[in-house]
Amino acid sequence: MTDEFTTDIYYDDDANVSEIEDKTVAVLGYGSQGHAHALNLDDSGVDVVVGLQKSSSSRETAQDEGLEIATPANAAAAADIVMMLVPDTIQPSVYEAVADEMDAGDTLMFAHGFNIHYGQIEPSEDVDVTMIAPKSPGHLVRRNYEKGEGTPGLLAVYQDTTGEAQDEALAYAKAIGCTRAGVIETTFEEEVETDLFGEQAVLCGGVTEMVKAGFETLVDAGYSPEMAYFECLNELKLIVDLMYEGGNMEMWNSVSDTAEYGGLTRGEEVIDREGMEDILEGVQTGEFAREWINENQANRPAYKQYRAAEQDHQIEEVGARLRDLFAWGEDE
């Protein structure tokens, strides 16, 4: 563990897989995260059972990979740790199906705190409630583990009835490879609110809207869609890779002086700080959570409209056509 930062960061030496070697982990769900957690735990010598409905299309895949399969309720009944890795929108109903199968002293674990923080799941007071959240898509969690490398993750303890919740969570983090890279201690509240804000304002919403706005500005001014695509979308990966590798300064040091000066003097003009603050407030007050919950209860009418509009945007057609023309498209 290091104390050089404002929060604690844990590594392999801070965790011991023996904390869960005599326990059974039920991994509920076998999607992107579920398959990675289950396979990494299994490879680390942890007893794993995958909880899937009998109608799930993932049952055959999990069985082919040598994992034990059971219904969510039966998996929870056999387990000491129940890891919720089904989508946020169905977690409450899944929890209702497994809650009575959990014993006092068991652990309910999450990789995202949405349903705990916004009160959609109210766990029993006699179980531990923790979070281990790899900060990466599941296929990279698995790939990094197989390569002997790690994926950074988050650790949070919401409810510690046994007095062993943190040690157990760190053992889980080590078993899936996260402590190889480092696990940052946080809270359910902080993880949820920063995650939702980051997705909406920067990583997903902000970036895609900025790319589309740049593309539309150039096309509307008479420039070719192909040039607009390359300048506003294709080259974005090159810039982000540099930032990922060494921060903003690595990127500034790698681009031309002209690009650096233009970016430093003009970038703020396209950023709406007040809009970002409004987005954060909507996350903090639960406004977004209520909206999303209501949207799902109504069978996602707005979501479907937004998604269709995104699919129909000109940048999608231009990008698909260009990616097919270049050799690197064959490797994507």
Side-chain angles (χ1 to χ4, degrees):
M1 183 178 70
T2 178
D3 56 4
E4 296 178 1
F5 300 94
T6 58
T7 187
D8 290 328
I9 303 178
Y10 300 93
Y11 299 96
D12 273 353
D13 289 345
D14 302 307
N16 193 336
V17 177
S18 66
E19 295 282 345
I20 59 173
E21 282 181 343
D22 294 330
K23 298 181 178 181
T24 297
V25 177
V27 174
L28 305 188
Y30 204 70
S32 175
Q33 290 291 334
H35 92 281
H37 287 232
L39 292 172
N40 290 4
L41 287 165
D42 186 61
D43 286 350
S44 292
V46 178
D47 186 24
V48 179
V49 55
V50 178
L52 294 170
Q53 298 292 352
K54 291 182 179 179
S55 60
S56 172
S57 60
S58 298
R59 289 180 71 94
E60 184 176 351
T61 301
Q63 288 173 334
D64 289 345
E65 291 179 310
L67 296 169
E68 180 183 351
I69 313 298
T71 64
N74 288 340
D80 306 285
I81 301 169
V82 176
M83 174 50 119
M84 278 278 188
L85 292 175
V86 295
D88 289 337
T89 51
I90 66 171
Q91 282 186 14
S93 62
V94 172
Y95 176 69
E96 287 183 7
V98 305
D100 290 343
E101 306 300 334
M102 297 184 66
D103 299 324
D106 283 353
T107 296
L108 180 62
M109 188 177 286
F110 296 84
H112 181 43
F114 184 98
N115 285 298
I116 290 292
H117 181 52
Y118 292 117
Q120 299 305 293
I121 291 177
E122 297 182 359
S124 170
E125 294 181 357
D126 60 4
V127 300
D128 290 346
V129 182
T130 60
M131 179 196 306
I132 291 296
K135 299 305 290 180
S136 167
H139 71 276
L140 290 180
V141 175
R142 179 58 179 163
R143 185 187 306 169
N144 288 343
Y145 179 94
E146 291 180 304
K147 290 165 59 179
E149 300 173 358
T151 301
L154 302 178
L155 158 73
V157 176
Y158 178 80
Q159 188 167 281
D160 184 2
T161 63
T162 65
E164 301 173 355
Q166 180 161 308
D167 288 342
E168 182 187 75
L170 280 171
Y172 184 103
K174 185 171 185 176
I176 65 172
C178 286
T179 53
R180 296 174 183 176
V183 174
I184 301 173
E185 187 170 3
T186 184
T187 64
F188 272 63
E189 177 183 22
E190 184 176 57
E191 184 273 335
V192 172
E193 294 182 357
T194 56
D195 185 70
L196 292 177
F197 172 80
E199 291 169 349
Q200 294 169 27
V202 183
L203 303 177
C204 302
V207 167
T208 55
E209 283 303 309
M210 185 174 65
V211 166
K212 287 188 297 183
F215 176 88
E216 291 167 0
T217 299
L218 288 175
V219 172
D220 290 347
Y223 299 99
S224 71
E226 291 78 15
M227 283 299 296
Y229 175 86
F230 274 107
E231 289 300 328
C232 296
L233 194 154
N234 184 71
E235 292 191 29
L236 183 64
K237 180 183 183 330
L238 309 178
I239 297 300
V240 171
D241 283 349
L242 291 169
M243 294 167 65
Y244 176 83
E245 292 165 7
N248 287 349
M249 286 309 302
E250 176 72 9
M251 183 271 292
W252 292 128
N253 291 335
S254 299
V255 301
S256 70
D257 291 349
T258 304
E260 182 178 7
Y261 179 77
L264 290 171
T265 60
R266 304 298 195 273
E268 286 191 1
E269 295 183 16
V270 299
I271 299 300
D272 180 1
R273 296 295 178 92
E274 290 185 3
M276 283 191 166
E277 291 171 359
D278 290 343
I279 289 172
L280 179 57
E281 183 179 356
V283 168
Q284 292 171 328
T285 62
E287 179 184 351
F288 170 77
R290 289 189 292 273
E291 178 184 326
W292 179 228
I293 292 165
N294 291 336
E295 177 72 11
N296 280 279
Q297 291 175 343
N299 198 28
R300 302 186 173 188
Y303 171 86
K304 293 172 183 176
Q305 286 185 327
Y306 284 123
R307 209 169 195 284
E310 193 80 353
Q311 181 65 47
D312 291 340
H313 194 282
Q314 185 184 13
I315 200 171
E316 290 298 306
E317 181 273 325
V318 173
R321 180 159 42 82
L322 286 174
R323 289 191 295 271
D324 284 342
L325 294 176
F326 289 89
W328 46 258
E330 298 174 1
D331 299 326
E332 292 298 306

